[in-house]
Amino acid sequence: MELPQFLPWQKEMARAWLTGRNQFAHAWLIHGLSGIGKQQFALAAAAALLCESPQEQMACGRCSACQWVAAGSHPDLRRIRPDAIAALEGDDTQDDATTPKKSLSREIRIEQLRQLHHWFNTATHRGGFRVAVLYPAESLNMVSANAILKVLEEPPQNTVFLLVSDTPDRLLPTLISRCRRLPLSVPSPQTAQQWLIQQGIAEPHNWLAAAGGAPLKALALSAESDAACPVWLRSLVTALAQDQEADTAGVADALEKQPATVWVDALQRWWLDLMLVAQGTAPRYYPELAPFTEQISLRVSPVNRAELARWLVQQKAVSTHPLSVKLFIQTALQRVILACQSSG
């Protein structure tokens, strides 16, 4: 393991925030767009809070505390996250090793918090901070959320809780009220693209656009796909722009090989691009499809734009468990094609 570091776009804010560490609130809700590095921020902040010789508010990387954090063995640091996420991160210690991977919990369980009772109520190892990093906060179920709420109502001495969330509106209002909010902003496109280039990503502009401006999500997408714009979407949009019959069979075959949530999300993003282009605004997600998207938008009525947008939102809600995958795909493609063929 390595010592967690703040990402380039986080450092200035982190230094200003950590300057007040001696008067820190006992709980912080770190939130913002998915894929901008909130979890990394929280872990780097934990390292900085535990560091015995901080340099410009950051972890020095040389003291005993930093070495323990890097090794994952600091006695005053705990990461509270679902077993499924712990396994993905290479840490299977939270759960029984005999439990099948696909059966691992995707929620933070009440048992995980009960196991921390002794840790919360003992003195810190070196007389400094104790830090609990909890992510994602949305994975708290009702029972575990109430359990952490009780801890926050009477916080242990010298303990800082860092809760990470993509969607704080999904959390209990009482839980949010016990935390100071720390919103993290999306980095500028220039900063994000430069970072992606340093990670070896070609055409960072397209990957960043496909990820909605979130650099870590763009990096993950580039590892999963060969192109920022899905091949099936390019094929569909190109045919529609040229008023040709789309190869729905080929597109459907491609869509059957991936989760419905993924391709419905891609359709939603492209349709938003079409709505933006229709209003004279540049597309947000798939700029490489801009000429085709603009051509299609000229013949799609405002009514059809709005209706399909609403319909796609409805399909996103059921895309995790479609009754019939093939029928779901065929219906979605037919709706998109009909909307794009309309005029007026």
Side-chain angles (χ1 to χ4, degrees):
M1 295 179 63
E2 297 181 355
L3 186 70
Q5 302 285 339
F6 290 106
L7 292 161
W9 53 90
Q10 300 173 342
K11 291 181 178 179
E12 184 176 349
M13 177 185 181
R15 284 196 180 94
W17 175 59
L18 288 165
T19 298
R21 69 176 74 200
N22 292 330
Q23 291 84 36
F24 246 24
H26 68 275
W28 293 87
L29 178 60
I30 301 169
H31 61 95
L33 180 70
S34 173
I36 60 173
K38 298 184 299 300
Q39 179 183 320
Q40 188 157 341
F41 181 97
L43 293 173
L49 290 170
L50 294 169
C51 178
E52 297 170 350
S53 303
Q55 304 294 312
E56 297 182 353
Q57 308 303 329
M58 306 294 188
C60 71
R62 297 183 299 274
C63 68
S64 297
C66 285
Q67 292 174 22
W68 289 335
V69 171
S73 59
H74 198 296
D76 292 328
L77 174 62
R78 293 290 187 276
R79 287 190 289 169
I80 308 169
R81 74 279 203 212
D83 295 327
I85 292 180
L88 288 174
E89 294 174 346
D91 181 2
D92 296 321
T93 59
Q94 287 191 201
D95 203 80
D96 187 341
T98 62
T99 304
K101 297 299 182 187
K102 61 183 178 182
S103 300
L104 293 175
S105 176
R106 296 186 178 278
E107 296 183 339
I108 293 176
R109 298 171 292 108
I110 183 64
E111 290 81 3
Q112 293 174 254
L113 300 176
R114 287 173 178 161
Q115 290 169 4
L116 295 175
H117 180 76
H118 178 72
W119 183 70
F120 285 141
N121 291 283
T122 55
T124 59
H125 184 70
R126 309 277 276 216
F129 283 112
R130 176 193 292 114
V131 185
V133 182
L134 187 152
Y135 60 90
E138 295 86 356
S139 62
L140 288 162
N141 57 38
M142 188 59 68
V143 176
S144 56
N146 279 304
I148 198 69
L149 179 60
K150 289 180 181 178
V151 176
L152 296 183
E153 286 173 345
E154 298 181 16
Q157 189 175 10
N158 298 326
T159 301
V160 175
F161 292 86
L162 302 176
L163 283 68
V164 179
S165 173
D166 292 339
T167 52
D169 57 318
R170 290 176 52 192
L171 304 179
L172 287 176
T174 48
L175 182 59
I176 295 175
S177 69
R178 296 293 176 182
C179 303
R180 288 281 299 277
R181 298 185 68 150
L182 184 65
L184 299 188
S185 60
V186 177
S188 70
Q190 295 78 12
T191 299
Q193 288 178 43
Q194 183 60 40
W195 181 79
L196 287 170
I197 290 172
Q198 292 170 356
Q199 310 310 308
I201 304 303
E203 300 182 349
H205 172 70
N206 288 335
W207 288 109
L208 191 63
L216 271 70
K217 188 173 183 179
L219 184 62
L221 286 174
S222 70
E224 298 167 358
S225 309
D226 295 328
C229 176
V231 174
W232 64 265
L233 182 60
R234 176 182 287 276
S235 172
L236 177 65
V237 172
T238 302
L240 291 173
Q242 297 171 353
D243 206 16
Q244 297 176 350
E245 184 175 348
D247 178 19
T248 53
V251 172
D253 287 343
L255 298 188
E256 280 192 57
K257 299 174 183 177
Q258 56 186 281
T261 52
V262 173
W263 60 260
V264 171
D265 183 64
L267 280 177
Q268 272 190 299
R269 288 169 179 251
W270 174 67
W271 198 252
L272 176 60
D273 277 355
L274 184 143
M275 296 176 77
L276 290 172
V277 168
Q279 299 298 320
T281 305
R284 179 180 180 185
Y285 294 107
Y286 301 114
E288 54 195 293
L289 296 181
F292 307 112
T293 302
E294 182 176 2
Q295 193 171 347
I296 296 169
S297 71
L298 296 175
R299 60 173 183 263
V300 180
S301 70
V303 171
N304 282 352
R305 290 200 300 267
E307 287 183 350
L308 186 61
R310 283 194 296 269
W311 187 82
L312 287 171
V313 170
Q314 294 168 354
Q315 303 320 298
K316 185 66 175 289
V318 300
S319 61
T320 51
H321 299 289
L323 295 177
S324 169
V325 174
K326 289 186 177 181
L327 181 59
F328 188 49
I329 292 171
Q330 291 169 357
T331 303
L333 293 177
Q334 185 177 40
R335 290 291 294 255
V336 172
I337 291 170
L338 288 175
C340 292
Q341 289 175 343
S342 299
S343 60

